[in-house]
PDB file of all heavy atoms in Angstrom:
ATOM      1  N   THR C   1     116.073 183.798  37.433  1.00  0.00           N
ATOM      2  CA  THR C   1     116.054 182.368  37.046  1.00  0.00           C
ATOM      3  C   THR C   1     114.457 181.817  37.492  1.00  0.00           C
ATOM      4  O   THR C   1     113.780 182.556  38.086  1.00  0.00           O
ATOM      5  CB  THR C   1     116.932 181.509  37.894  1.00  0.00           C
ATOM      6  OG1 THR C   1     116.734 181.807  39.369  1.00  0.00           O
ATOM      7  CG2 THR C   1     118.431 181.957  37.652  1.00  0.00           C
ATOM      8  N   LYS C   2     114.134 180.625  37.106  1.00  0.00           N
ATOM      9  CA  LYS C   2     112.859 180.162  37.294  1.00  0.00           C
ATOM     10  C   LYS C   2     112.591 179.846  38.747  1.00  0.00           C
ATOM     11  O   LYS C   2     111.493 179.780  39.225  1.00  0.00           O
ATOM     12  CB  LYS C   2     112.591 178.976  36.410  1.00  0.00           C
ATOM     13  CG  LYS C   2     112.481 179.327  34.965  1.00  0.00           C
ATOM     14  CD  LYS C   2     112.104 177.993  34.127  1.00  0.00           C
ATOM     15  CE  LYS C   2     111.880 178.358  32.650  1.00  0.00           C
ATOM     16  NZ  LYS C   2     111.532 177.165  31.854  1.00  0.00           N
ATOM     17  N   GLU C   3     113.755 179.570  39.492  1.00  0.00           N
ATOM     18  CA  GLU C   3     113.530 179.210  40.924  1.00  0.00           C
ATOM     19  C   GLU C   3     114.383 180.018  41.746  1.00  0.00           C
ATOM     20  O   GLU C   3     115.656 180.150  41.703  1.00  0.00           O
ATOM     21  CB  GLU C   3     113.831 177.680  41.141  1.00  0.00           C
ATOM     22  CG  GLU C   3     113.038 176.762  40.471  1.00  0.00           C
ATOM     23  CD  GLU C   3     111.574 176.821  40.952  1.00  0.00           C
ATOM     24  OE1 GLU C   3     111.365 177.158  41.946  1.00  0.00           O
ATOM     25  OE2 GLU C   3     110.672 176.532  40.046  1.00  0.00           O
ATOM     26  N   LEU C   4     113.874 180.770  42.625  1.00  0.00           N
ATOM     27  CA  LEU C   4     114.426 181.656  43.680  1.00  0.00           C
ATOM     28  C   LEU C   4     113.684 181.590  44.941  1.00  0.00           C
ATOM     29  O   LEU C   4     112.479 181.162  44.908  1.00  0.00           O
ATOM     30  CB  LEU C   4     114.414 183.151  43.110  1.00  0.00           C
ATOM     31  CG  LEU C   4     115.381 183.571  42.096  1.00  0.00           C
ATOM     32  CD1 LEU C   4     115.125 184.933  41.638  1.00  0.00           C
ATOM     33  CD2 LEU C   4     116.876 183.452  42.676  1.00  0.00           C
ATOM     34  N   PRO C   5     114.353 181.937  46.018  1.00  0.00           N
ATOM     35  CA  PRO C   5     113.629 182.049  47.220  1.00  0.00           C
ATOM     36  C   PRO C   5     112.789 183.289  47.163  1.00  0.00           C
ATOM     37  O   PRO C   5     113.134 184.358  47.606  1.00  0.00           O
ATOM     38  CB  PRO C   5     114.722 182.212  48.398  1.00  0.00           C
ATOM     39  CG  PRO C   5     115.894 182.742  47.640  1.00  0.00           C
ATOM     40  CD  PRO C   5     115.752 182.225  46.239  1.00  0.00           C
ATOM     41  N   TRP C   6     111.494 183.076  46.714  1.00  0.00           N
ATOM     42  CA  TRP C   6     110.707 184.239  46.308  1.00  0.00           C
ATOM     43  C   TRP C   6     110.333 185.123  47.511  1.00  0.00           C
ATOM     44  O   TRP C   6     110.113 186.354  47.399  1.00  0.00           O
ATOM     45  CB  TRP C   6     109.467 183.784  45.618  1.00  0.00           C
ATOM     46  CG  TRP C   6     109.681 182.997  44.380  1.00  0.00           C
ATOM     47  CD1 TRP C   6     109.509 181.611  44.131  1.00  0.00           C
ATOM     48  CD2 TRP C   6     110.196 183.543  43.210  1.00  0.00           C
ATOM     49  NE1 TRP C   6     109.814 181.348  42.937  1.00  0.00           N
ATOM     50  CE2 TRP C   6     110.386 182.410  42.202  1.00  0.00           C
ATOM     51  CE3 TRP C   6     110.661 184.743  42.765  1.00  0.00           C
ATOM     52  CZ2 TRP C   6     110.882 182.529  41.030  1.00  0.00           C
ATOM     53  CZ3 TRP C   6     111.320 184.956  41.482  1.00  0.00           C
ATOM     54  CH2 TRP C   6     111.315 183.826  40.542  1.00  0.00           C
ATOM     55  N   ASP C   7     110.465 184.580  48.706  1.00  0.00           N
ATOM     56  CA  ASP C   7     110.079 185.434  49.891  1.00  0.00           C
ATOM     57  C   ASP C   7     111.094 186.473  50.089  1.00  0.00           C
ATOM     58  O   ASP C   7     110.997 187.493  50.759  1.00  0.00           O
ATOM     59  CB  ASP C   7     109.886 184.523  51.113  1.00  0.00           C
ATOM     60  CG  ASP C   7     111.178 183.671  51.367  1.00  0.00           C
ATOM     61  OD1 ASP C   7     111.707 183.051  50.557  1.00  0.00           O
ATOM     62  OD2 ASP C   7     111.611 183.811  52.564  1.00  0.00           O
ATOM     63  N   LYS C   8     112.268 186.345  49.395  1.00  0.00           N
ATOM     64  CA  LYS C   8     113.310 187.342  49.531  1.00  0.00           C
ATOM     65  C   LYS C   8     113.116 188.634  48.600  1.00  0.00           C
ATOM     66  O   LYS C   8     113.828 189.457  48.608  1.00  0.00           O
ATOM     67  CB  LYS C   8     114.668 186.629  49.246  1.00  0.00           C
ATOM     68  CG  LYS C   8     115.065 185.579  50.085  1.00  0.00           C
ATOM     69  CD  LYS C   8     115.096 185.956  51.589  1.00  0.00           C
ATOM     70  CE  LYS C   8     115.674 184.675  52.480  1.00  0.00           C
ATOM     71  NZ  LYS C   8     115.542 185.107  53.859  1.00  0.00           N
ATOM     72  N   ALA C   9     112.239 188.325  47.672  1.00  0.00           N
ATOM     73  CA  ALA C   9     111.790 189.539  46.665  1.00  0.00           C
ATOM     74  C   ALA C   9     110.996 190.523  47.415  1.00  0.00           C
ATOM     75  O   ALA C   9     109.772 190.485  47.384  1.00  0.00           O
ATOM     76  CB  ALA C   9     111.128 188.857  45.486  1.00  0.00           C
ATOM     77  N   ASP C  10     111.645 191.348  48.125  1.00  0.00           N
ATOM     78  CA  ASP C  10     110.902 192.378  48.964  1.00  0.00           C
ATOM     79  C   ASP C  10     111.919 193.593  49.173  1.00  0.00           C
ATOM     80  O   ASP C  10     113.140 193.369  49.475  1.00  0.00           O
ATOM     81  CB  ASP C  10     110.676 191.580  50.308  1.00  0.00           C
ATOM     82  CG  ASP C  10     109.762 192.430  51.212  1.00  0.00           C
ATOM     83  OD1 ASP C  10     109.909 193.740  51.247  1.00  0.00           O
ATOM     84  OD2 ASP C  10     108.794 191.904  51.745  1.00  0.00           O
ATOM     85  N   LEU C  11     111.397 194.728  49.118  1.00  0.00           N
ATOM     86  CA  LEU C  11     112.252 195.964  49.290  1.00  0.00           C
ATOM     87  C   LEU C  11     112.824 196.159  50.716  1.00  0.00           C
ATOM     88  O   LEU C  11     113.683 196.858  50.985  1.00  0.00           O
ATOM     89  CB  LEU C  11     111.429 197.154  48.894  1.00  0.00           C
ATOM     90  CG  LEU C  11     111.193 197.375  47.396  1.00  0.00           C
ATOM     91  CD1 LEU C  11     110.415 198.777  47.235  1.00  0.00           C
ATOM     92  CD2 LEU C  11     112.613 197.611  46.774  1.00  0.00           C
ATOM     93  N   ASN C  12     112.154 195.334  51.637  1.00  0.00           N
ATOM     94  CA  ASN C  12     112.693 195.395  53.006  1.00  0.00           C
ATOM     95  C   ASN C  12     113.776 194.248  53.341  1.00  0.00           C
ATOM     96  O   ASN C  12     114.340 194.220  54.298  1.00  0.00           O
ATOM     97  CB  ASN C  12     111.510 195.024  53.950  1.00  0.00           C
ATOM     98  CG  ASN C  12     110.516 196.171  54.092  1.00  0.00           C
ATOM     99  OD1 ASN C  12     110.917 197.364  53.927  1.00  0.00           O
ATOM    100  ND2 ASN C  12     109.207 195.864  54.026  1.00  0.00           N
ATOM    101  N   VAL C  13     114.071 193.557  52.148  1.00  0.00           N
ATOM    102  CA  VAL C  13     115.114 192.548  52.232  1.00  0.00           C
ATOM    103  C   VAL C  13     116.253 192.936  51.464  1.00  0.00           C
ATOM    104  O   VAL C  13     116.137 192.999  50.212  1.00  0.00           O
ATOM    105  CB  VAL C  13     114.656 191.076  51.794  1.00  0.00           C
ATOM    106  CG1 VAL C  13     115.735 190.205  51.817  1.00  0.00           C
ATOM    107  CG2 VAL C  13     113.540 190.588  52.689  1.00  0.00           C
ATOM    108  N   LEU C  14     117.385 193.286  52.213  1.00  0.00           N
ATOM    109  CA  LEU C  14     118.630 193.739  51.465  1.00  0.00           C
ATOM    110  C   LEU C  14     119.657 192.675  51.589  1.00  0.00           C
ATOM    111  O   LEU C  14     119.930 192.185  52.690  1.00  0.00           O
ATOM    112  CB  LEU C  14     119.142 194.938  52.144  1.00  0.00           C
ATOM    113  CG  LEU C  14     118.462 196.354  51.686  1.00  0.00           C
ATOM    114  CD1 LEU C  14     118.791 197.382  52.694  1.00  0.00           C
ATOM    115  CD2 LEU C  14     118.762 196.739  50.260  1.00  0.00           C
ATOM    116  N   LEU C  15     120.227 192.167  50.490  1.00  0.00           N
ATOM    117  CA  LEU C  15     121.277 191.160  50.406  1.00  0.00           C
ATOM    118  C   LEU C  15     122.380 191.588  49.568  1.00  0.00           C
ATOM    119  O   LEU C  15     122.229 192.416  48.696  1.00  0.00           O
ATOM    120  CB  LEU C  15     120.675 189.901  49.837  1.00  0.00           C
ATOM    121  CG  LEU C  15     119.509 189.094  50.680  1.00  0.00           C
ATOM    122  CD1 LEU C  15     119.014 187.998  49.937  1.00  0.00           C
ATOM    123  CD2 LEU C  15     120.095 188.707  52.099  1.00  0.00           C
ATOM    124  N   PRO C  16     123.613 191.110  49.868  1.00  0.00           N
ATOM    125  CA  PRO C  16     124.784 191.594  49.000  1.00  0.00           C
ATOM    126  C   PRO C  16     124.415 191.157  47.521  1.00  0.00           C
ATOM    127  O   PRO C  16     123.859 190.153  47.252  1.00  0.00           O
ATOM    128  CB  PRO C  16     125.909 190.747  49.517  1.00  0.00           C
ATOM    129  CG  PRO C  16     125.444 190.336  50.901  1.00  0.00           C
ATOM    130  CD  PRO C  16     123.963 190.194  50.957  1.00  0.00           C
ATOM    131  N   ARG C  17     124.794 192.107  46.545  1.00  0.00           N
ATOM    132  CA  ARG C  17     124.581 191.776  45.206  1.00  0.00           C
ATOM    133  C   ARG C  17     125.201 190.413  44.852  1.00  0.00           C
ATOM    134  O   ARG C  17     124.658 189.817  43.981  1.00  0.00           O
ATOM    135  CB  ARG C  17     125.299 193.015  44.344  1.00  0.00           C
ATOM    136  CG  ARG C  17     124.928 192.943  42.835  1.00  0.00           C
ATOM    137  CD  ARG C  17     124.982 194.243  42.254  1.00  0.00           C
ATOM    138  NE  ARG C  17     126.156 195.046  42.416  1.00  0.00           N
ATOM    139  CZ  ARG C  17     126.432 196.178  41.959  1.00  0.00           C
ATOM    140  NH1 ARG C  17     125.532 196.791  41.210  1.00  0.00           N
ATOM    141  NH2 ARG C  17     127.685 196.789  42.292  1.00  0.00           N
ATOM    142  N   SER C  18     126.299 190.068  45.397  1.00  0.00           N
ATOM    143  CA  SER C  18     126.902 188.885  45.151  1.00  0.00           C
ATOM    144  C   SER C  18     126.047 187.610  45.395  1.00  0.00           C
ATOM    145  O   SER C  18     126.076 186.583  44.683  1.00  0.00           O
ATOM    146  CB  SER C  18     128.262 188.669  45.916  1.00  0.00           C
ATOM    147  OG  SER C  18     127.894 188.658  47.334  1.00  0.00           O
ATOM    148  N   GLN C  19     125.124 187.750  46.346  1.00  0.00           N
ATOM    149  CA  GLN C  19     124.209 186.672  46.714  1.00  0.00           C
ATOM    150  C   GLN C  19     123.097 186.484  45.561  1.00  0.00           C
ATOM    151  O   GLN C  19     122.874 185.316  45.142  1.00  0.00           O
ATOM    152  CB  GLN C  19     123.537 186.907  48.037  1.00  0.00           C
ATOM    153  CG  GLN C  19     122.373 185.865  48.345  1.00  0.00           C
ATOM    154  CD  GLN C  19     123.120 184.451  48.530  1.00  0.00           C
ATOM    155  OE1 GLN C  19     123.841 184.265  49.485  1.00  0.00           O
ATOM    156  NE2 GLN C  19     122.799 183.711  47.567  1.00  0.00           N
ATOM    157  N   TRP C  20     122.692 187.708  45.130  1.00  0.00           N
ATOM    158  CA  TRP C  20     121.739 187.614  43.922  1.00  0.00           C
ATOM    159  C   TRP C  20     122.480 186.986  42.775  1.00  0.00           C
ATOM    160  O   TRP C  20     121.808 186.108  42.046  1.00  0.00           O
ATOM    161  CB  TRP C  20     121.273 188.997  43.571  1.00  0.00           C
ATOM    162  CG  TRP C  20     120.343 189.567  44.675  1.00  0.00           C
ATOM    163  CD1 TRP C  20     120.701 190.679  45.409  1.00  0.00           C
ATOM    164  CD2 TRP C  20     119.167 189.002  45.229  1.00  0.00           C
ATOM    165  NE1 TRP C  20     119.788 191.010  46.453  1.00  0.00           N
ATOM    166  CE2 TRP C  20     118.872 190.100  46.323  1.00  0.00           C
ATOM    167  CE3 TRP C  20     118.256 188.109  44.946  1.00  0.00           C
ATOM    168  CZ2 TRP C  20     117.641 189.974  46.927  1.00  0.00           C
ATOM    169  CZ3 TRP C  20     117.176 188.000  45.718  1.00  0.00           C
ATOM    170  CH2 TRP C  20     116.854 188.879  46.759  1.00  0.00           C
ATOM    171  N   VAL C  21     123.775 187.329  42.484  1.00  0.00           N
ATOM    172  CA  VAL C  21     124.395 186.702  41.352  1.00  0.00           C
ATOM    173  C   VAL C  21     124.551 185.281  41.513  1.00  0.00           C
ATOM    174  O   VAL C  21     124.486 184.445  40.585  1.00  0.00           O
ATOM    175  CB  VAL C  21     125.801 187.410  41.188  1.00  0.00           C
ATOM    176  CG1 VAL C  21     126.700 186.614  40.211  1.00  0.00           C
ATOM    177  CG2 VAL C  21     125.654 188.848  40.845  1.00  0.00           C
ATOM    178  N   ARG C  22     124.862 184.755  42.678  1.00  0.00           N
ATOM    179  CA  ARG C  22     125.075 183.373  43.057  1.00  0.00           C
ATOM    180  C   ARG C  22     123.707 182.615  42.743  1.00  0.00           C
ATOM    181  O   ARG C  22     123.729 181.405  42.373  1.00  0.00           O
ATOM    182  CB  ARG C  22     125.488 183.139  44.478  1.00  0.00           C
ATOM    183  CG  ARG C  22     126.913 183.363  44.698  1.00  0.00           C
ATOM    184  CD  ARG C  22     127.441 182.730  45.984  1.00  0.00           C
ATOM    185  NE  ARG C  22     126.867 183.325  47.124  1.00  0.00           N
ATOM    186  CZ  ARG C  22     127.351 184.554  47.778  1.00  0.00           C
ATOM    187  NH1 ARG C  22     128.485 185.001  47.402  1.00  0.00           N
ATOM    188  NH2 ARG C  22     126.673 184.970  48.834  1.00  0.00           N
ATOM    189  N   TRP C  23     122.649 183.275  42.931  1.00  0.00           N
ATOM    190  CA  TRP C  23     121.248 182.665  42.663  1.00  0.00           C
ATOM    191  C   TRP C  23     120.956 182.732  41.155  1.00  0.00           C
ATOM    192  O   TRP C  23     119.867 182.229  40.783  1.00  0.00           O
ATOM    193  CB  TRP C  23     120.198 183.429  43.452  1.00  0.00           C
ATOM    194  CG  TRP C  23     120.215 182.913  44.970  1.00  0.00           C
ATOM    195  CD1 TRP C  23     120.622 181.603  45.365  1.00  0.00           C
ATOM    196  CD2 TRP C  23     119.756 183.582  46.113  1.00  0.00           C
ATOM    197  NE1 TRP C  23     120.390 181.523  46.782  1.00  0.00           N
ATOM    198  CE2 TRP C  23     119.873 182.771  47.215  1.00  0.00           C
ATOM    199  CE3 TRP C  23     119.217 184.799  46.221  1.00  0.00           C
ATOM    200  CZ2 TRP C  23     119.405 183.082  48.473  1.00  0.00           C
ATOM    201  CZ3 TRP C  23     118.738 185.252  47.556  1.00  0.00           C
ATOM    202  CH2 TRP C  23     118.843 184.414  48.646  1.00  0.00           C
ATOM    203  N   GLY C  24     121.861 183.147  40.361  1.00  0.00           N
ATOM    204  CA  GLY C  24     121.614 183.140  38.934  1.00  0.00           C
ATOM    205  C   GLY C  24     121.058 184.382  38.332  1.00  0.00           C
ATOM    206  O   GLY C  24     120.691 184.372  37.136  1.00  0.00           O
ATOM    207  N   ILE C  25     120.893 185.496  39.097  1.00  0.00           N
ATOM    208  CA  ILE C  25     120.437 186.726  38.503  1.00  0.00           C
ATOM    209  C   ILE C  25     121.368 187.369  37.672  1.00  0.00           C
ATOM    210  O   ILE C  25     122.564 187.470  38.056  1.00  0.00           O
ATOM    211  CB  ILE C  25     119.808 187.619  39.631  1.00  0.00           C
ATOM    212  CG1 ILE C  25     118.591 187.122  40.229  1.00  0.00           C
ATOM    213  CG2 ILE C  25     119.622 188.966  39.147  1.00  0.00           C
ATOM    214  CD1 ILE C  25     117.976 187.778  41.414  1.00  0.00           C
ATOM    215  N   GLU C  26     120.922 187.759  36.425  1.00  0.00           N
ATOM    216  CA  GLU C  26     121.940 188.388  35.636  1.00  0.00           C
ATOM    217  C   GLU C  26     121.379 189.861  35.226  1.00  0.00           C
ATOM    218  O   GLU C  26     120.324 190.166  35.114  1.00  0.00           O
ATOM    219  CB  GLU C  26     121.967 187.600  34.223  1.00  0.00           C
ATOM    220  CG  GLU C  26     122.481 186.199  34.403  1.00  0.00           C
ATOM    221  CD  GLU C  26     122.553 185.391  33.086  1.00  0.00           C
ATOM    222  OE1 GLU C  26     121.850 185.897  32.201  1.00  0.00           O
ATOM    223  OE2 GLU C  26     123.153 184.408  33.036  1.00  0.00           O
ATOM    224  N   GLY C  27     122.404 190.822  34.920  1.00  0.00           N
ATOM    225  CA  GLY C  27     121.995 192.097  34.505  1.00  0.00           C
ATOM    226  C   GLY C  27     121.529 192.178  33.080  1.00  0.00           C
ATOM    227  O   GLY C  27     121.999 191.256  32.302  1.00  0.00           O
ATOM    228  N   VAL C  28     120.724 193.173  32.787  1.00  0.00           N
ATOM    229  CA  VAL C  28     120.268 193.353  31.396  1.00  0.00           C
ATOM    230  C   VAL C  28     121.111 194.507  30.858  1.00  0.00           C
ATOM    231  O   VAL C  28     121.049 195.686  31.381  1.00  0.00           O
ATOM    232  CB  VAL C  28     118.810 193.648  31.305  1.00  0.00           C
ATOM    233  CG1 VAL C  28     118.373 193.952  29.882  1.00  0.00           C
ATOM    234  CG2 VAL C  28     118.045 192.307  31.851  1.00  0.00           C
ATOM    235  N   GLY C  29     121.932 194.284  29.909  1.00  0.00           N
ATOM    236  CA  GLY C  29     122.725 195.296  29.269  1.00  0.00           C
ATOM    237  C   GLY C  29     124.002 195.579  29.895  1.00  0.00           C
ATOM    238  O   GLY C  29     124.862 196.268  29.209  1.00  0.00           O
ATOM    239  N   GLN C  30     124.302 194.885  30.973  1.00  0.00           N
ATOM    240  CA  GLN C  30     125.495 194.987  31.573  1.00  0.00           C
ATOM    241  C   GLN C  30     125.744 193.969  32.749  1.00  0.00           C
ATOM    242  O   GLN C  30     124.712 193.574  33.179  1.00  0.00           O
ATOM    243  CB  GLN C  30     125.964 196.390  32.272  1.00  0.00           C
ATOM    244  CG  GLN C  30     124.966 196.719  33.512  1.00  0.00           C
ATOM    245  CD  GLN C  30     125.318 198.057  34.158  1.00  0.00           C
ATOM    246  OE1 GLN C  30     126.303 198.700  33.742  1.00  0.00           O
ATOM    247  NE2 GLN C  30     124.609 198.438  35.005  1.00  0.00           N
TER     248      GLN C  30
END
């Protein structure tokens, strides 16, 4: 999405996949 907590975009930050989905992230192809 256009707005995310960008500081969380880091390989050292692991969050449940459900959290990314709640923030509006969608899979490509599935």
Side-chain angles (χ1 to χ4, degrees):
T1 59
K2 291 185 178 181
E3 294 300 329
L4 280 171
W6 299 113
D7 59 309
K8 303 298 184 186
D10 191 315
L11 285 177
N12 293 317
V13 176
L14 284 165
L15 296 172
R17 187 157 50 181
S18 58
Q19 179 62 68
W20 298 113
V21 172
R22 282 196 294 272
W23 281 334
I25 289 180
E26 300 177 343
V28 174
Q30 63 179 356

